[in-house]
Amino acid sequence: MGKVLMKGNEAIAQAAISAGCEGFFGYPITPQNEVPEYMSKYLAKSGGVFVQAESEIAAINMVYGAAAAGARVMTSSSSPGIALKQEGISYCAGAQLPIVIVSVSRGGPGLGSILPSQGDYNQATRGGGNGDYRVIVLAPNGVQEATDMVRHAFRLADTYRIPVMVMADGIIGQMMEPVEIDTTPIPKAANLWAATGKGNRDHLNVVNSMHLDSVELEDHNILLNNKYLEIVKNEVEYEKFLSDDADVLIVAYGTPSRIVKSAIKTLREEGIKAGLFRPKTLVPYPYDALHEASKNVKFVLCAELSMGQMLVDVKLAVNGIVPVHFYGRTGGIIFEPSEIVNAVKSHLGGK
Amino acid sequence: MKSIKLVCAGFGGQGVLSMGQMVALMAMKKGFNTSWMPSYGPEMRGGTANCQVVIDDAEIASPIIAEGITLLLAMNQMALTKFQPKLEKGAWLIVNEALVNTDEVPSDVHVLKVDFNKIASEIGNPKVQNMAALGSIAAQLDIFDKQDGIEIIEEKFGMKNPELTKLNQKAFEVAYDHH
Amino acid sequence: MTVIFKKTKGLTDKPLTYCPGCTHGIIHRLVAEVLEELNVLDRSILIASVGCSVMSYDFFNCDSIQAAHGRAPAVATGVKRVRPDSIVFTYQGDGDLASIGTGEIVQAAHRGENITVIFVNNAIYGMTGGQMAPTTLPGQITTTSPYGRDVKTQGEPIKVSELMATIPGTYYVERVMTADPVSVRKAKTAIKKAFQNQVDGKGFSMVEVLSSCNIGWGLNPVDSLKYIKEDMASYFPLGVYKDKGKI
């Protein structure tokens, strides 16, 4: 199959179908509406189930149920909707269910706006659900990578029995780019733990997040954490662009990282050696790689469409060895390459 | 190549979004990298609409055209007012002559005036206006020739509505040749 | 020796954790017997809820999924849609179904999900210590209505069966009680019908069972059965509220 021109949201939905998604449960919210719309049109045709839930809360609980019954399922939403899903995500994490959540984020807090934003970095990486849990968070920088990451998300969810979030910004959701969606089948885990009806099994399967016994719950928390440590060891991903000889390292993720790239080209043309470090996994965050990459630079600039949320992780990674500065725009305003260029120059002190 | 930064803007319903998509589609078929980004807002008919198309032989750095528009299609006055400040020096501006006054356009911008309303009404269907605009854009961009447009229109409408396809192709050609 | 009564295969050997005098155990048994009699235990999936029956997954001898408070009908929807051959049922109390979960129960019914809902109404939040529920009777004393439920500020008890019957998507709705041997037998008939409907692919069936909470009510077990029969059943009349099979 050659490249086709597709809207990010539709490409995300098609990628999920190609990954063998068996059920989609969602609720309308801009700017992700093309995901459920596409699913309602095509998922049933490939043997899957589409349900428009009455709320994001219901949608994530349908996902919880369907995943608990052994199906490969996903939901999608945008910022305020993801907020509502947090309860269910916590339950899925607790019950170790392999699920995929697509978050096409927009401006906030509250109703905010429907324009692109990265103000949900904390929501995605720290979550709002209760308890000691993590979800894997992948952050694509365009339509092609969004489809690849959706497929990867299903793989990771199966491998680790963990919720995986693909955090796309509103730009990815709404823009069209040429994309080639991988259609290689993704083998599904056996899910021997699933509540499928006892059948001939000699034991009952119970999907549950409750452990009233303190020792049992601590063991469970340790198990979840060990799983996370394994993920940290194996699944960290990032991109470096012109960073090896850089004097200035700019850290950005998602579509804004592409704007940073064009700023870097301009800076290089002007003789300023700038480079990009782009986390592709926000959880697990590439702390070690970023620490390495910042060792020989004059300073690190974190650029986000927020007031500085990833900034905390950048500071944790750099750990004080060089100064960390910040440049951000919000409200749906996307910084221009010239703003990044100027920010870098101002921190270089006109040299 | 120098990256092409095209903005198409007009009233909702003038078909600027789908027309912009067709430019991106043509570019993709020619083997270029491209992106199409619509303005989006609360659903409302009849408001203003615009889309941004970037075409490059290298990786597209940013799908958002914040500055340095190289080609602007303005189907109404509001579109021109909104995007004129973002035109780069030496940019091309295509306007719908019937609806847009270009007196305020700086002299370092090349202006091409085409009466898309007239082309459409002569062909006998107001719906073909945007394909006439596509003709002007294709004529303006070196990477496309006339056949690219004829084919993309066939591909997009051929199966659904052969009658409209012919009219669309005619509108495309008239505008392309007008150049 | 002749066996004249034995425990149903529908229940595990785990001892129930309900308070002495509570009728949850009776309702568990009725549901379990029905699953056994309909020969669907091996393909049944229980959606457990939050409340006193939070650990019902330990007691029913079938696969189970524990749901968040009020969300059981949404979880059941997810299960039933991807496993249409399974027999999916929720077991929910009145705090769960009639308060925090009203959205989920109404919408699952509205979609006409082919599931069975066992709604245990004991007019109180038992698990958390006897707080007022939407179904708490006027004047009833609870830990959050210490002066008795004042309908002027706390509303009148919500009548769930009546409400659910108005939803076009529901197939079958009946209210029963567990106050004496006769009413228990009637309750079983209703529960059996609610499951048979699912087996037959008829659609959304709900049985509301008026149940006791002698501890939360501050009554002895005998008086609490009397309370079901005289107080609850007069506010919540028993009967079939909807049966599309009989139109």
Side-chain angles (χ1 to χ4, degrees):
Chain A
M1 195 176 122
K3 284 194 172 180
V4 288
L5 189 68
M6 274 184 109
K7 208 174 213 197
N9 283 335
E10 295 182 340
I12 283 168
Q14 181 56 48
I17 293 173
S18 86
C21 178
E22 297 168 299
F24 178 91
F25 306 89
Y27 185 76
I29 182 169
T30 307
Q32 63 85 54
N33 291 319
E34 294 84 358
V35 181
E37 285 170 7
Y38 192 95
M39 285 297 196
S40 70
K41 204 168 172 184
Y42 296 109
L43 185 55
K45 286 185 179 171
S46 60
V49 167
F50 167 86
V51 179
Q52 178 168 328
E54 67 269 25
S55 68
E56 285 93 349
I57 296 172
I60 190 68
N61 281 282
M62 290 176 189
V63 162
Y64 174 85
R72 176 176 271 171
V73 291
M74 75 176 266
T75 184
S76 70
S77 193
S78 179
S79 311
I82 297 292
L84 287 170
K85 287 187 198 291
Q86 295 288 356
E87 174 196 70
I89 293 171
S90 163
Y91 279 68
C92 289
Q96 303 189 75
L97 296 181
I99 65 159
V100 172
I101 308 137
V102 172
S103 166
V104 184
S105 56
R106 61 185 245 187
L111 275 178
S113 85
I114 58 174
L115 295 171
S117 161
Q118 294 183 319
D120 292 330
Y121 182 89
N122 287 346
Q123 183 193 52
T125 61
R126 270 61 176 177
N130 62 299
D132 228 338
Y133 75 97
R134 299 277 195 159
V135 301
I136 296 175
V137 183
L138 311 177
N141 70 347
V143 176
Q144 181 63 55
E145 199 172 79
T147 67
D148 296 337
M149 281 185 173
V150 165
R151 290 173 52 82
H152 189 46
F154 280 107
R155 237 178 264 126
L156 290 171
D158 263 16
T159 307
Y160 296 101
R161 285 187 61 189
I162 194 171
V164 183
M165 182 182 287
V166 177
M167 195 198 185
D169 48 60
I171 304 168
I172 292 173
Q174 292 302 314
M175 81 168 152
M176 287 179 114
E177 284 189 305
V179 58
E180 184 163 8
I181 298 170
D182 188 353
T183 52
T184 322
I186 299 174
K188 200 177 135 188
N191 294 349
L192 297 174
W193 46 265
T196 56
K198 181 176 164 287
N200 297 323
R201 229 189 289 121
D202 63 0
H203 61 278
L204 297 176
N205 279 350
V206 176
V207 175
N208 182 19
S209 65
M210 189 167 74
H211 306 272
L212 292 177
D213 180 81
S214 56
V215 173
E216 191 186 310
L217 180 56
E218 188 181 48
D219 284 348
H220 182 61
N221 287 148
I222 290 169
L223 181 149
L224 294 181
N225 192 54
N226 286 343
K227 185 156 76 175
Y228 174 64
L229 295 176
E230 195 65 19
I231 291 165
V232 169
K233 212 195 301 173
N234 302 330
E235 309 298 347
V236 169
E237 285 191 53
Y238 55 89
E239 179 201 354
K240 291 198 288 184
F241 174 72
L242 300 178
S243 65
D244 289 346
D245 67 338
D247 291 328
V248 176
L249 188 66
I250 309 176
V251 189
Y253 71 98
T255 358
S257 70
R258 292 165 63 165
I259 297 163
V260 168
K261 265 190 187 174
S262 58
I264 286 170
K265 283 179 189 160
T266 309
L267 286 164
R268 290 253 165 189
E269 279 162 19
E270 296 181 22
I272 298 167
K273 285 195 223 163
L276 170 73
F277 186 94
R278 173 171 76 97
K280 292 164 79 171
T281 52
L282 302 182
V283 176
Y285 197 80
Y287 292 109
D288 294 344
L290 178 52
H291 185 80
E292 271 315 300
S294 56
K295 272 184 175 164
N296 298 315
V297 301
K298 287 179 183 153
F299 63 84
V300 171
L301 176 73
C302 175
E304 295 177 69
L305 300 182
S306 79
M307 297 309 288
Q309 296 192 11
M310 182 175 71
L311 178 62
V312 175
D313 282 325
V314 173
K315 284 182 173 172
L316 283 172
V318 173
N319 200 19
I321 56 172
V322 292
V324 176
H325 302 297
F326 177 74
Y327 190 82
R329 295 300 300 269
T330 67
I333 296 167
I334 296 156
F335 46 65
E336 304 181 7
S338 60
E339 295 178 65
I340 302 298
V341 169
N342 291 340
V344 167
K345 284 181 181 168
S346 78
H347 291 299
L348 278 173
K351 268 179 258 173
Chain B
M1 74 183 265
K2 186 169 162 5
S3 143
I4 296 166
K5 296 179 178 180
L6 164 70
V7 171
C8 308
F11 293 119
Q14 277 180 317
V16 291
L17 297 189
S18 58
M19 195 268 294
Q21 274 180 27
M22 287 168 78
V23 176
L25 205 53
M26 282 160 69
M28 185 186 84
K29 284 177 180 293
K30 287 264 170 186
F32 290 99
N33 291 312
T34 184
S35 64
W36 172 90
M37 179 77 201
S39 60
Y40 64 97
E43 293 285 333
M44 190 183 94
R45 291 291 142 120
T48 56
N50 73 74
C51 65
Q52 315 184 346
V53 179
V54 182
I55 302 169
D56 208 327
D57 51 4
E59 184 190 358
I60 307 272
S62 170
I64 309 283
I65 305 173
E67 51 205 4
I69 296 172
T70 61
L71 176 58
L72 170 65
L73 170 77
M75 295 294 276
N76 64 23
Q77 195 69 41
M78 263 187 292
L80 180 59
T81 310
K82 181 167 180 176
F83 290 103
Q84 187 181 306
K86 293 182 175 179
L87 286 169
E88 69 163 19
K89 277 184 185 162
W92 275 87
L93 166 67
I94 301 171
V95 297
N96 184 7
E97 198 177 6
L99 296 175
V100 183
N101 179 318
T102 56
D103 292 349
E104 308 279 312
V105 175
S107 57
D108 59 10
V109 171
H110 307 286
V111 181
L112 176 66
K113 299 179 189 174
V114 189
D115 193 334
F116 297 117
N117 287 34
K118 194 172 154 208
I119 293 176
S121 68
E122 279 172 9
I123 286 168
N125 187 336
K127 278 188 190 166
V128 303
Q129 235 190 71
N130 64 335
M131 290 302 103
L134 182 66
S136 294
I137 287 170
Q140 192 49 49
L141 296 173
D142 295 339
I143 58 169
F144 299 127
D145 53 38
K146 206 194 232 179
Q147 197 53 32
D148 295 330
I150 302 293
E151 280 168 16
I152 207 78
I153 292 169
E154 175 66 35
E155 187 182 312
K156 188 104 177 165
F157 304 100
M159 296 288 277
K160 277 185 273 180
N161 192 340
E163 202 60 23
L164 185 63
T165 306
K166 286 210 183 76
L167 297 181
N168 272 326
Q169 285 170 331
K170 185 151 184 227
F172 176 87
E173 282 187 81
V174 170
Y176 191 94
D177 293 338
H178 177 87
H179 188 60
Chain C
M1 198 169 73
T2 321
V3 177
I4 53 163
F5 181 82
K6 61 174 183 172
K7 202 186 81 181
T8 166
K9 278 196 287 183
L11 292 174
T12 63
D13 289 336
K14 292 222 174 90
L16 298 183
T17 48
Y18 302 108
C19 307
C22 166
T23 49
H24 259 305
I26 293 171
I27 303 164
H28 273 34
R29 200 192 83 211
L30 298 181
V31 171
E33 285 175 356
V34 164
L35 295 176
E36 186 187 6
E37 286 163 21
L38 293 177
N39 198 24
V40 295
L41 259 179
D42 285 352
R43 59 180 174 119
S44 289
I45 302 173
L46 157 72
I47 315 301
S49 61
V50 172
C52 289
S53 60
V54 67
M55 280 182 293
S56 55
Y57 57 79
D58 269 345
F59 311 134
F60 285 102
N61 195 12
C62 62
D63 279 2
S64 312
I65 299 167
Q66 220 303 308
H69 205 190
R71 318 294 179 224
V75 174
T77 299
V79 177
K80 187 70 181 183
R81 292 295 186 106
V82 298
R83 295 204 164 269
D85 295 333
S86 299
I87 298 302
V88 182
F89 69 105
T90 70
Y91 188 105
Q92 303 174 260
D94 46 298
D96 188 275
L97 182 143
S99 184
I100 195 168
T102 45
E104 284 77 8
I105 192 66
V106 165
Q107 298 294 336
H110 154 67
R111 287 189 302 270
E113 298 295 342
N114 187 28
I115 59 172
T116 304
V117 173
I118 306 300
F119 168 42
V120 179
N121 178 2
N122 60 9
I124 207 159
Y125 283 81
M127 178 61 124
T128 44
Q131 293 84 5
M132 185 181 70
T135 43
T136 295
L137 294 182
Q140 189 179 336
I141 289 171
T142 71
T143 55
T144 51
S145 58
Y147 309 110
R149 181 177 190 152
D150 178 359
V151 297
K152 279 187 191 148
T153 57
Q154 294 165 317
E156 295 186 41
I158 190 166
K159 297 185 173 184
V160 174
S161 286
E162 288 84 338
L163 167 74
M164 297 299 288
T166 65
I167 297 170
T170 51
Y171 186 83
Y172 169 66
V173 179
E174 181 167 355
R175 184 184 287 126
V176 296
M177 66 178 180
T178 48
D180 53 36
V182 174
S183 64
V184 167
R185 274 198 294 278
K186 282 186 179 165
K188 183 172 173 184
T189 307
I191 290 169
K192 193 161 188 174
K193 191 165 182 180
F195 277 98
Q196 186 65 51
N197 286 340
Q198 185 179 168
V199 171
D200 296 342
K202 301 288 190 193
F204 185 93
S205 298
M206 186 190 89
V207 178
E208 174 178 351
V209 188
L210 302 182
S211 177
S212 68
C213 181
N214 44 298
I215 303 295
W217 294 348
L219 298 174
N220 68 44
V222 175
D223 287 345
S224 71
L225 294 182
K226 216 171 121 194
Y227 188 83
I228 296 179
K229 214 185 229 174
E230 291 173 6
D231 297 79
M232 285 188 73
S234 62
Y235 187 90
F236 300 112
L238 305 185
V240 177
Y241 284 87
K242 179 115 167 236
D243 188 352
K244 277 192 184 169
K246 284 203 175 152
I247 293 170

